[in-house]
Amino acid sequence: MDLLFKSFSTGYESNKIISDLNLQIKSGEWVGVVGSNGSGKSTLLKGIAKIIPTHSGDLFLNGSSIRVLSTKSMAKLVSYLPQTLNSNLPLTVNELVALGRSPHKYFWEFDLNENDLSIIDEALDLCDLKKYSNKDLNSLSGGQCQRAYLALTIAQKPKIILLDEPTTFLDINFQIQMLDLIKNLNKENKITIITVIHDINLALRYCDRLALFKKGNLLTIDEPIKALSREFIKEAFSVESFTFETPVGLQICATKACDK
């Protein structure tokens, strides 16, 4: 599903954070959103998901303005996974993932039909969670809990998935597992992915394009190695850097802080 931002601005009440954003994200792309702390990355995702209001301009999903889309219509199209997840809900993994079917049910429909059960089973399988399906959510490790919430997102059957730092609190092994899983989801299911990600080397490795932000403004959106040129990194992060070749492609090393 395509996203078209036209002079899109969003933020909190009178505090505009993302200003006059103009860009297009094509269906099936994985776009990473990068930038320093306070650059508006998480705010952008919340604005796309209509968690916070559009201040001015508009955002179109396949030609439909989010201003006129209902909450339920949005939930069928867009799934948002926040940075902080509640692992203490009194639910099993299966019950949590089943919540992903809510946007597709009427309020009086309490039972899951065969199609719902099949979709839930597929989501558990994709996230390698079948063996944990009857486990309590609060008994899982951090990585397993992240995968459980991603399975909920998959069960929602959205066209667009918004992920706010999906590798936060995960060790290196689980970071790679999570991003490999997202990449497979992106390519096999043709889902548009927009991810806030702090680790620029992981962003460089996995994303199709990177949108680099500074103080709510888009500096550039381009293929990763161009978006993370020495000049753009210096402007966005106030550090000097250089690139070097690795078995997984070019990576970036920050060398020293410089004046802002």
Side-chain angles (χ1 to χ4, degrees):
M1 172 168 281
D2 291 348
L3 296 90
L4 179 62
F5 299 82
K6 287 191 173 183
S7 300
F8 179 74
S9 300
T10 187
Y12 303 89
E13 296 181 355
S14 61
N15 184 17
K16 183 193 295 185
I17 294 177
I18 297 294
S19 300
D20 301 318
L21 179 61
N22 291 285
L23 70 91
Q24 182 172 14
I25 296 174
K26 296 179 181 178
S27 181
E29 268 197 297
W30 183 350
V31 173
V33 181
V34 295
S36 62
N37 292 336
S39 59
K41 303 183 298 296
S42 296
T43 301
L44 175 63
L45 294 197
K46 292 175 183 176
I48 296 171
K50 285 185 69 171
I51 294 169
I52 57 177
T54 299
H55 283 210
S56 59
D58 214 335
L59 167 59
F60 298 90
L61 308 181
N62 270 8
S64 297
S65 167
I66 65 168
R67 290 180 178 273
V68 300
L69 289 171
S70 68
T71 300
K72 186 164 186 174
S73 296
M74 283 291 293
K76 290 179 180 179
L77 299 174
V78 179
S79 184
Y80 167 70
L81 199 60
Q83 179 181 343
T84 303
L85 304 173
N86 187 351
S87 62
N88 293 314
L89 294 174
L91 299 171
T92 65
V93 171
N94 192 79
E95 289 168 339
L96 176 75
V97 177
L99 294 176
R101 300 307 301 150
S102 300
H104 303 275
K105 313 291 285 184
Y106 292 106
F107 70 88
W108 62 81
E109 291 182 298
F110 298 104
D111 296 326
L112 300 169
N113 58 35
E114 288 187 12
N115 183 55
D116 294 323
L117 294 173
S118 175
I119 289 170
I120 293 165
D121 189 65
E122 178 188 20
L124 289 168
D125 189 43
L126 281 170
C127 295
D128 193 25
L129 288 170
K130 278 193 169 182
K131 55 184 173 290
Y132 302 109
S133 62
N134 293 316
K135 296 279 189 182
D136 291 335
L137 189 64
N138 60 16
S139 71
L140 302 184
S141 69
Q144 291 164 349
C145 185
Q146 289 272 35
R147 294 208 311 273
Y149 272 94
L150 183 60
L152 181 158
T153 296
I154 294 168
Q156 196 172 324
K157 284 291 182 181
K159 303 297 183 184
I160 300 165
I161 294 180
L162 311 174
L163 302 164
D164 194 350
E165 298 186 42
T167 57
T168 301
F169 312 124
L170 301 184
D171 63 31
I172 296 172
N173 180 288
F174 277 119
Q175 286 181 18
I176 298 299
Q177 284 188 38
M178 176 65 78
L179 292 173
D180 281 345
L181 174 58
I182 295 167
K183 192 69 173 180
N184 182 65
L185 187 66
N186 169 240
K187 296 304 178 186
E188 296 297 322
N189 296 61
K190 311 300 181 187
I191 296 175
T192 305
I193 309 286
I194 304 174
T195 314
V196 168
I197 188 164
H198 263 302
D199 190 319
I200 58 175
N201 283 313
L202 289 176
L204 191 66
R205 177 174 172 179
Y206 283 94
C207 299
D208 298 319
R209 288 195 296 164
L210 296 181
L212 182 60
F213 281 83
K214 180 180 181 179
K215 295 181 179 178
N217 295 302
L218 179 67
L219 292 180
T220 186
I221 179 167
D222 209 332
E223 60 183 273
I225 197 60
K226 291 181 179 178
L228 294 176
S229 68
R230 289 181 64 187
E231 294 75 20
F232 278 129
I233 287 177
K234 185 174 182 178
E235 184 175 357
F237 297 100
S238 300
V239 296
E240 300 287 354
S241 63
F242 70 92
T243 59
F244 58 97
E245 190 65 56
T246 77
V248 293
L250 286 173
Q251 298 282 269
I252 295 169
C253 178
T255 56
K256 65 176 182 178
C258 55
D259 294 334
K260 294 186 177 181

